[in-house]
Amino acid sequence: MPPRPLRPPDSTPPRSSDTLRGPLFSLAVDILLPLLVYYAARALGADQVPALLLSGAPPALRLLAGAVRYRRIDGVDLFLTVLLVGAALVSLIGGGPRVLLFKNAALSLAVGAWALGTAFTRNPLAFQLGQRLHRGEAARARAGLWQDSAPFRRGLRALTLLWGAEQFLDGGVGALAAATLPPDTVPLLDRAVSLTLLALAAGITAGYARRFRGRHALPLFGAPVPAPAPATAPRAPRVSCGP
């Protein structure tokens, strides 16, 4: 029996648990952990400004750890790092808790503007995030699909516009809350609104991706499945006429 062909190690599709682990970890560090840090610091007697500064540490440390681990920082992480550093510098120069509360709203508005700005470039945000889920042959196959398929490009641009609009709405609600509500109420409300809008955007994304795949037979976030090689007809046995 002929040996089974070996798949290249870099073309193995990621398991669903591996695919979800990164986004779930980022969600916990960027949204839930800052909330816990803020209210824990307030319970221990910290003023609002130091507590808000401490609550910004987990996302910054996550970005730094990723840069050290992979010895590189991509465009998404670099953009978020610059925003976090800028917010910290503003808070150190001066300003009360309201200034720091506006930081999250400004961050969401900036991310929304950046996402919308990438929507009609060669690398919209949805395409970049999809590439992060794959490597090797799978990533190259998606890049080829981006070059060859107009529906694929339109689908990822539509999702990029959706995510940019979600971030703009999140930032607008956060700015209104920071301007009008008691400072200790804003972090909890801000995270609740963020999680609600993220869940809504995720649901719309999943439904859109499912309908897109049914209509075009193309995965928006998976790797395209190569067409099977055409089967060859079996060769007829040779009949010998000799003695």
Side-chain angles (χ1 to χ4, degrees):
M1 186 173 71
R4 296 177 61 185
L6 298 177
R7 299 182 68 177
D10 63 350
S11 66
T12 303
R15 296 175 300 176
S16 58
S17 59
D18 295 335
T19 300
L20 291 174
R21 187 177 302 149
L24 289 177
F25 177 76
S26 299
L27 184 69
V29 173
D30 294 345
I31 294 182
L32 299 180
L33 192 54
L35 189 65
L36 294 176
V37 169
Y38 174 78
Y39 286 110
R42 291 290 286 150
L44 293 174
D47 291 334
Q48 290 170 343
V49 170
L52 288 168
L53 288 174
L54 286 174
S55 69
L61 291 176
R62 180 185 68 79
L63 294 175
L64 178 61
V68 171
R69 178 181 178 183
Y70 298 108
R71 297 182 182 178
R72 66 179 178 84
I73 183 167
D74 59 20
V76 178
D77 288 345
L78 178 61
F79 179 75
L80 296 178
T81 300
V82 170
L83 289 177
L84 288 171
V85 171
L89 290 176
V90 169
S91 64
L92 290 175
I93 292 173
R98 295 278 180 193
V99 174
L100 292 177
L101 290 174
F102 274 108
K103 177 199 68 174
N104 289 333
L107 181 61
S108 294
L109 291 172
V111 170
W114 177 77
L116 294 177
T118 70
F120 297 99
T121 66
R122 282 193 253 174
N123 291 300
L125 178 61
F127 176 72
Q128 294 181 47
L129 294 181
Q131 289 296 84
R132 283 188 173 194
L133 303 177
H134 302 280
R135 58 184 183 273
E137 291 298 328
R140 286 190 287 272
R142 292 188 81 256
L145 192 59
W146 172 263
Q147 294 293 328
D148 299 335
S149 173
F152 186 72
R153 293 192 295 270
R154 286 196 301 269
L156 291 179
R157 293 191 200 281
L159 288 180
T160 300
L161 291 172
L162 168 69
W163 298 346
E166 179 269 330
Q167 284 295 299
F168 258 112
L169 181 59
D170 190 5
V173 174
L176 181 63
T180 59
L181 296 179
D184 280 332
T185 305
V186 174
L188 181 59
L189 178 65
D190 187 42
R191 297 309 189 274
V193 170
S194 295
L195 289 173
T196 300
L197 291 176
L198 281 174
L200 182 60
I204 295 174
T205 298
Y208 180 82
R210 185 166 53 249
R211 289 192 301 271
F212 184 91
R213 183 160 192 163
R215 180 180 303 174
H216 300 286
L218 293 174
L220 282 176
F221 296 104
V225 179
T232 57
R235 182 178 299 176
R238 180 179 298 176
V239 179
S240 176
C241 298

